Amino acid sequence: MTAAGTPIAVVTGASSGIGAATARGLAAAGYRVVLTARRKDRIEALAAEINAAGHQATAYPLDVTDRAAVDEFATAFSAIGVLVNNAGGALGADPVATGNPDDWRQMYETNVIGSLNVTQALLPALEASGDGAVVILSSTAGHATYEGGGGYVAAKNGARVLAETLRLEIVGRPVRVIEIAPGMVKTDEFATTRFRGDTEKAAKVYAGVAAPLSAEDVADTITWAVTRPSHVNIDLLVVRPRAQASNSKVHREL
């Protein structure tokens, strides 16, 4: 699935937002990007766009929570340079007392088990490359709690711990483990999905914030981290907009 000498980068959740922007960034940096997501039409359109720009991309529809499908996907590769575990997301903003367990379960399955599935399946190919990198997209939610975020915070804590533990367990092998933890990022879908299509609630997340992060800002940090010299590991990179001092301290011009 790659031209000789061209490293492969697999990006999960590549149909929109940070995943799509990361695929564009890695393609421009010289990787053959493999785009995975459930929305086949989206990743096929993105692959066409990247190829038309003179880079290399392939679309592969995939649900990262389906382990059998992930294992089948992994058989296509003998060596991979980069895996970006981006598939995830938030559902709801209810307090712990009234939160929907199904939402919590879905967030954990996607953000944690999905990343575990893909990482386990592709780790041999990452190691076989002689210079692999696993990127875990966590969140500042994985490093500090906030009201109404219990389920998402729990899931992103799981993603953070996955990265930290894997790094300890494979030290000495030719695979870097990188955690990128974004703060407030404004994309087309994140907040709208969280509030189940309620655009008014979604807009309030960013109300008065002059310049939240963009998907491209986060993609730039991912591309920078994986293109450092192979002996340099960016263990954790926290990136927030200037207006955000913490999960609960945001400057708003209202």
Side-chain angles (χ1 to χ4, degrees):
M1 295 185 68
T2 182
T6 304
I8 292 175
V10 174
V11 182
T12 70
S15 58
S16 66
I18 293 170
T22 299
R24 293 185 182 100
L26 291 175
Y31 288 89
R32 164 73 176 271
V33 292
V34 179
L35 317 173
T36 75
R38 290 174 297 178
R39 294 181 290 187
K40 181 174 182 286
D41 58 332
R42 292 284 193 95
I43 56 174
E44 287 182 344
L46 179 57
E49 173 199 317
I50 291 170
N51 288 322
H55 307 305
Q56 300 179 68
T58 302
Y60 191 108
L62 184 67
D63 179 350
V64 296
T65 67
D66 182 340
R67 184 55 188 257
V70 170
D71 287 342
E72 175 64 24
F73 168 68
T75 63
F77 305 98
S78 58
I80 293 173
V82 174
L83 165 61
V84 180
N85 284 297
N86 168 73
L91 289 173
D94 300 315
V96 171
T98 58
N100 186 335
D102 289 338
D103 288 347
W104 283 55
R105 188 174 295 107
Q106 185 173 336
M107 285 186 280
Y108 191 84
E109 285 287 337
T110 306
N111 289 282
V112 184
I113 302 302
S115 293
L116 177 66
N117 285 340
V118 182
T119 300
Q120 287 183 336
L122 294 183
L123 195 56
L126 285 155
E127 187 169 359
S129 75
D131 186 18
V134 177
V135 178
I136 302 289
L137 257 292
S138 65
S139 166
T140 54
H143 294 264
T145 60
Y146 60 93
E147 293 168 288
Y152 184 59
V153 167
K156 286 304 187 183
N157 262 281
R160 173 180 64 83
V161 170
L162 190 161
E164 289 182 352
T165 308
L166 179 64
R167 189 180 303 116
L168 293 171
E169 292 173 345
I170 66 171
V171 66
R173 291 154 68 178
V175 179
R176 295 177 288 166
V177 181
I178 299 164
E179 179 190 352
I180 306 293
M184 181 182 286
V185 185
K186 186 176 184 180
T187 64
D188 291 338
E189 297 186 339
F190 180 83
T192 303
T193 299
R194 183 171 203 167
F195 295 110
R196 295 177 173 80
D198 189 327
T199 55
E200 184 176 346
K201 280 187 178 181
K204 288 180 180 178
V205 173
Y206 313 104
V209 180
L213 296 178
S214 67
E216 288 72 23
D217 292 327
V218 180
D220 186 51
T221 67
I222 294 168
T223 302
W224 176 83
V226 302
T227 55
R228 295 310 85 207
S230 60
H231 71 287
V232 177
N233 196 95
I234 307 301
D235 284 19
L236 168 64
L237 194 160
V238 176
V239 54
R240 291 187 174 101
R242 187 176 65 189
Q244 184 183 32
S246 74
N247 290 346
S248 56
K249 182 70 172 181
V250 180
H251 176 67
R252 299 179 188 271
E253 301 172 0
L254 299 173

mmCIF file of all heavy atoms in Angstrom, residues 4 57 150 168 179 213:
data_model
loop_
_atom_site.group_PDB
_atom_site.id
_atom_site.type_symbol
_atom_site.label_atom_id
_atom_site.label_comp_id
_atom_site.label_asym_id
_atom_site.label_seq_id
_atom_site.Cartn_x
_atom_site.Cartn_y
_atom_site.Cartn_z
ATOM 1 N N ALA A 4 7.774 2.523 -2.843
ATOM 2 C CA ALA A 4 9.038 2.222 -2.185
ATOM 3 C C ALA A 4 9.639 3.490 -1.600
ATOM 4 O O ALA A 4 9.753 4.509 -2.264
ATOM 5 C CB ALA A 4 10.005 1.587 -3.188
ATOM 6 N N ALA A 57 -2.631 9.381 -0.968
ATOM 7 C CA ALA A 57 -3.632 9.043 0.046
ATOM 8 C C ALA A 57 -4.490 7.887 -0.422
ATOM 9 O O ALA A 57 -4.762 7.734 -1.612
ATOM 10 C CB ALA A 57 -4.509 10.256 0.347
ATOM 11 N N GLY A 150 -17.802 14.719 33.072
ATOM 12 C CA GLY A 150 -17.359 13.478 33.698
ATOM 13 C C GLY A 150 -17.068 12.335 32.745
ATOM 14 O O GLY A 150 -16.007 11.710 32.806
ATOM 15 N N LEU A 168 6.071 3.185 28.600
ATOM 16 C CA LEU A 168 6.883 2.440 29.560
ATOM 17 C C LEU A 168 7.153 1.017 29.075
ATOM 18 O O LEU A 168 8.272 0.492 29.218
ATOM 19 C CB LEU A 168 6.167 2.374 30.914
ATOM 20 C CG LEU A 168 6.006 3.677 31.686
ATOM 21 C CD1 LEU A 168 5.084 3.458 32.881
ATOM 22 C CD2 LEU A 168 7.362 4.221 32.136
ATOM 23 N N GLU A 179 1.761 11.863 23.046
ATOM 24 C CA GLU A 179 0.410 12.295 23.416
ATOM 25 C C GLU A 179 0.247 13.772 23.082
ATOM 26 O O GLU A 179 1.041 14.608 23.516
ATOM 27 C CB GLU A 179 0.147 12.080 24.905
ATOM 28 C CG GLU A 179 -1.245 12.546 25.324
ATOM 29 C CD GLU A 179 -1.457 12.565 26.839
ATOM 30 O OE1 GLU A 179 -0.581 12.074 27.577
ATOM 31 O OE2 GLU A 179 -2.499 13.104 27.274
ATOM 32 N N LEU A 213 -8.523 27.417 19.084
ATOM 33 C CA LEU A 213 -7.679 26.658 18.171
ATOM 34 C C LEU A 213 -8.505 26.161 16.987
ATOM 35 O O LEU A 213 -9.710 25.928 17.104
ATOM 36 C CB LEU A 213 -7.072 25.447 18.874
ATOM 37 C CG LEU A 213 -6.102 25.691 20.027
ATOM 38 C CD1 LEU A 213 -5.663 24.359 20.620
ATOM 39 C CD2 LEU A 213 -4.903 26.507 19.581
#
